[in-house]
Amino acid sequence: MTMGGGATESSEPLLPTKREGPAAEGEEAAFHEFNGASFPGAVFNLSTTIVGAGIMALPATMKVLGLVPGLVMIVLAALLTDASIELLVRFSGVVGARSYGGVMGDTFGWWGKRLLQVCVVINNVGVMIVYMIIIGDVLSGTSSGGEHHYGVLEGWFGIHWWNGRFFVLLVTTLVVFTPLACLKHIDSLSYTSAISVALAVVFVIITAGITIVKLIAGQIPMPKLFPAVPDLASVWELFTAVPVLVTAYVCHYNVHPIHNELKDSSKIKPIVHTSLALCSTVYIATSFFGYLLFGESTLSDVLANFDSNLGIPYSSVLNDAVRVSYAVHLMLVFPMIFHALRLNLDGLLFASATPLYSDNRRFGVMTASLLLVIFSFANFIPSIWDAFQFTGATAAVCIGFIFPAAITLRDRHSIAKKWDKFLAVIMIVLAVVSNVIAVYSDAYKMFHKKSAPS
C-alpha cells in the first residue's frame, strides 16, 4: 500500500478494507461478501468503542472532583475529543491515509507510525484488562478496604471453586471472548455493538430509577458539589481523575476502520458527532445518578456498590439486573477493542508480512496469545483505578490528544488554520500538565501509604 508520504508498506494497521487495490493474495476472498457498513451500524460500533469500562469509574471521579466540576469535565472532554477526531480525519483525507498509523507515518515517518502502534497496544491491553477485572468483580465479587463485596454468582449459589474469579474469567474467555475475537471483520460486530449500547442504556435507566425513588423518599443526602481541598496534596489528587476521563473517550484507533467500511464515507463526521453525543449523555447520567446514589461510599468500580440492600422494593433483583446487564455489555465491547489491538500488534511485529486476515495461522496464534496475556494480568491487578491511571496518563492521552495535535502543528501539507494550531497547543499543554501531575499524585500516595506507620 502506498501512503500519502510515499512509503510503501504491505501491512497497514487498523485497516482491513475492501477499498484497497490491488488486494493481496487471499485478501479479496476474506471480504468479497462485504457490501459496506451502514450509518446506524457505524454509530453503534464507534459508540461501543467509547462506552466501555470507563463508565464504571466515572462516579468515582465525581467523588474526587465534586459533582459540578466533574460534569463540566465530562462535557469538556467530549468537546476536545470531537475536535481531535475532526483534525485526524481532515489530515487523513488530505494525504490519502486510510489509518491512524498512515497519517502518523506521513507526518512523522516510520518512527511516528510505530509509536502510535505501541500506544494503541498499551491502551487496548490495559482497557481489556479492566473489562475482565470488572466482569470478575461483578460475577465473583471483590474486596475493598477490608470489606468483601459479593458477586452475583456468590449471592446466588454461595462461595464455591467454580464461581471464583479465576474459573469464571477462564470460562468467559473461552466461551465468549474467543468466538467474538475470531471474527475478522469489524462490521460483523455491529449487531453485538447495538446490543451492548442498549445494555449500557438499561444500566443507566435502572440506576437513575433507583436514585429518583430514593430521592423522593428522602433517603439520599446532599452530594458534594465541589471538591474539598484542605491542603496541596488534595489539589494534586484532583488531577488523578483526568486519566480516567481521557480513557473514557478514546476511540480514535477505530475511526479509520469504521470510516473505510462505510457505504458513504462522507458520513464519518455526523457518525462521530452522533456517537459522542450519545456517549456523553450516558456518561453524564451515569456519573450523576451513580454518585448521587452512593455518595462518598462510591467505589472505583461502581458496579461493586450494587451488592447490598438499596432500601427500596426488589433491591436484590435490581442489583443483579444492573450488574449482569453491564457485565454482558463489557463482554460484547471486548471484541471491538481487541480488533484494533490485534491489527496494531501485527503491524509492529510483522510490518512486511502478508495481510493478517489472509494468514489464518498468524491470526490464530496472535489471537490466542493476546487473550492469554489479558486473562493473566486480569487475575493479578486488583483495581480498575490502578489500570486506568497507567493507561490513561500514558498511551490514551497520546492517542486521543497529543498525536492529533502534533500532526496539526507539523502541518506538512499546509492545511491547518490558526485556530487549529491554537487548539492543538491547548490540547498538548492540558494533556501533558494534567497527566504529569496525575502520575506524580499517584506516586506520592503510593509512597505515603508504604512509609506510613502501621
Side-chain angles (χ1 to χ4, degrees), residues 13-27:
L14 302 179
L15 181 60
T17 175
K18 70 185 182 66
R19 297 193 180 98
E20 301 292 345
E25 183 179 355
E27 189 175 20

Side-chain angles (χ1 to χ4, degrees), residues 366-382:
M366 186 164 291
T367 299
S369 300
L370 286 171
L371 287 173
L372 178 61
V373 168
I374 294 164
F375 168 79
S376 300
F377 275 101
N379 280 281
F380 294 105
I381 296 177

Side-chain angles (χ1 to χ4, degrees), residues 1-10 12 102 105-106 109-110 113:
M1 173 191 295
T2 303
M3 298 188 305
T8 301
E9 304 208 10
S10 60
E12 183 72 15
D106 175 82
W110 187 90
K113 184 173 183 177

